[in-house]
């Protein structure tokens, strides 16, 4: 199945809306919850999701992955609070 550019954009925007909706259900008292010790916490998972989509999209458009961009985005998001991460996710919809 091949998607048109508009269909792909619409699909990605829908995923962002779903993620933002699910994020409203997060109990802020449990942002540090880890299913197991080696898994990401809730906040770490949201930080990962905030950068993963945009960076992989950029990599696809650039026809290559740049690890330095990934590392820089990861460090930037590590300093962000829950609300700032949610704002970063919402900004990806555009």
């Amino acid at each position: 199945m091949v998607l048109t550019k508009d269909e792909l954009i619409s699909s990605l925007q829908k995923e962002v809306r779903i993620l933002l909706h699910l994020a409203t259900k997060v109990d802020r008292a449990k942002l540090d919850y880890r299913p197991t010790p080696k898994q990401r916490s809730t906040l770490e998972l949201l930080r990962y999701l905030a950068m993963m989509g945009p960076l992989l999209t950029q990599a696809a458009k650039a026809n290559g992955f740049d690890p330095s961009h990934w590392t820089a985005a990861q460090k930037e998001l590590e300093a962000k609070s829950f609300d700032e991460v949610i704002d970063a996710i919402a900004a990806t919809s555009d």
Side-chain angles (χ1 to χ4, degrees), residues 21-79:
H21 172 73
L22 292 173
T24 66
K25 308 299 181 190
V26 171
D27 180 354
R28 289 174 184 251
K30 297 183 180 177
L31 290 176
D32 292 328
Y33 168 75
R34 293 176 190 278
T36 66
K38 293 186 178 186
Q39 288 182 292
R40 290 181 174 106
S41 70
T42 303
L43 183 55
E44 289 169 342
L45 177 61
L46 287 169
R47 286 175 176 153
Y48 169 77
L49 292 171
M51 68 176 201
M52 175 280 274
L55 291 179
L56 291 180
T57 302
Q58 289 174 2
K61 289 173 65 177
N63 215 13
F65 181 76
D66 185 352
S68 65
H69 286 169
W70 185 274
T71 303
Q74 190 173 22
K75 286 183 181 185
E76 180 184 331
L77 281 165
E78 284 174 359

Side-chain angles (χ1 to χ4, degrees), residues 1-15:
M1 178 177 163
V2 177
L3 297 174
T4 66
K5 182 178 178 180
D6 289 337
E7 290 170 333
L8 177 61
I9 290 169
S10 177
S11 178
L12 293 171
Q13 287 173 328
K14 181 178 179 181
E15 294 298 324

